[in-house]
């Protein structure tokens, strides 16, 4: 077993803070990702919180501030369970760094996403108990892990707008795949915001604060933003995820034998949507064939796809593209979505296979 209970063949981008993604061959195997295979994205050292001494504070613009124990959360609210795909804004950054360097940021492959069954309570129920004030427009999530990469170094804190926080799919979860949350995934309690960048799903949650404005923490105000453009002079705070797809096996650069080759991958539509169609091309995008797509487990949950391609000898580029249930497709070129931090890659994936 590797670091933090992960499988030995994880692609480890950093040991401290611990950042790792599963290889495509492992991610591809099951619709729900086992805990030892689930990607890990951390900005600081993993805190070890004692579940017995842990408390959740709910404060800010509320009528009745709360101080909750884990037992109080479990017994005081209705528990619910959901299958959720988490995807980091860093997923597939390697495809952008191939266009132009993204200095200082890890070139994640297509494995910075995973799917689990989460069990917990609805954030909306907890906020209802506290009594949200009318001017509470944002809900901030605070954790004790101090990130040395933040400027200045500070604990992890981000927020989501009130409407998103109150939707019934946003959970405060203590269980993942039927077991207590592992330390590296946020024990004893984490936020789960389906369909939004993983950065909003705060681990090791200790405080929920209702505010009039977004969190002014570095991870909200500075990181996980797209820089200003002519049409968005303030920059854009990342929230909902766009449609994405990737090839998982074979891997980019693999040598494969001639003849039929099984190619697999995934597609993921954003919040509230499902994937309608995935297509694959081996001739640079002139001819396309439809891949077999796994049935959806619900909006925003990844769907795996597979196809068998008869490849000629030589170097072959496999391209993939997807459409979601609203009819939206993906931009072809990674250059079209390149940004200085390399966030939210959504262009057609392209892998090179050396057919011998
Ligand atoms: N407290 C805290 N929460 C956090 C982070 C963190 O560094 N600290 N990383 C965020 C990011 S960027 C992502 S993508 C997800 C990753 O969750 P995972 O490690 O369980 O896969 O957690 C989010 N929650
Ligand atoms: Mo992330």
């Amino acid at each position: 077993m590797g670091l933090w209970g992960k499988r030995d063949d994880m692609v480890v981008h950093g040991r401290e803070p611990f950042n790792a993604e599963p290889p495509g061959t492992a991610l591809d195997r099951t619709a729900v990702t086992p805990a030892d295979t689930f990607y890990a994205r951390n900005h600081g050292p993993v805190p070890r919180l004692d579940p017995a001494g842990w408390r959740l504070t709910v404060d800010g613009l509320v009528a009745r501030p709360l101080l909750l124990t884990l037992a109080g959360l479990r017994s005081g609210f209705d528990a619910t369970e959901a299958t959720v795909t988490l995807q980091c804004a860093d997923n597939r950054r390697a495809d952008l760094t191939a266009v132009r360097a993204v200095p200082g940021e890890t070139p994640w492959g297509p494995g910075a996403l995973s799917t689990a069954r989460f069990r917990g309570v609805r954030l909306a129920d907890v906020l209802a108990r506290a009594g949200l004030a009318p001017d509470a427009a944002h809900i901030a999530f605070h954790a004790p892990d101090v990130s040395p990469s933040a400027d200045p170094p500070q604990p992890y804190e981000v927020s989501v707008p009130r409407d998103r926080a109150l939707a019934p799919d946003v959970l405060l979860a203590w269980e993942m795949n039927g077991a207590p949350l592992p330390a590296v995934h946020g024990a004893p309690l984490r936020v789960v915001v389906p369909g939004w960048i993983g950065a909003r799903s705060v681990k090791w949650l200790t405080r929920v604060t209702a505010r009039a404005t977004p969190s002014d923490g570095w991870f909200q105000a500075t990181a996980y933003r797209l820089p200003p453009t002519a049409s968005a002079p303030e920059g854009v705070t990342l929230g909902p995820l766009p449609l994405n797809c990737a090839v998982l096996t074979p891997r980019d650069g693999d040598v494969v034998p001639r003849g039929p080759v099984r190619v697999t991958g995934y597609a993921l539509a954003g919040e509230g949507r499902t994937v309608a169609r995935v297509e694959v091309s081996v001739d640079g995008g002139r001819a396309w064939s439809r891949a077999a797509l796994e049935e959806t487990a619900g909006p925003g949950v990844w769907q795996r796809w597979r196809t068998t391609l008869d490849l000629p000898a030589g170097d072959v580029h496999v391209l993939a593209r997807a459409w979601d249930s609203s009819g939206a497709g993906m931009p072809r070129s990674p250059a079209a979505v390149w940004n200085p931090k390399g966030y939210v890659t959504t262009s057609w994936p392209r892998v090179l296979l050396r057919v011998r």
Side-chain angles (χ1 to χ4, degrees), residues 27 29-34 83 115-117 177 302 304:
L27 187 55
R29 216 160 285 158
T30 50
V32 170
T33 318
T83 302
T115 302
R117 214 53 211 153
N177 295 345
W302 81 333
R304 293 174 298 161

Side-chain angles (χ1 to χ4, degrees), residues 3 11 79-80 111 142 166 173 176 178 180 216 285-286 347 356:
L3 289 168
V11 180
T80 177
H142 185 90
L166 290 179
M176 177 171 155
D216 40 31
R286 280 180 295 277
S347 57
R356 299 289 182 262

Side-chain angles (χ1 to χ4, degrees), residues 39 41 43 87-90 156 197-199 224:
Y39 83 100
R41 177 75 182 98
H43 296 83
Q87 182 180 205
C88 183
D90 299 359
Y156 195 86
I197 61 164
Y224 298 107

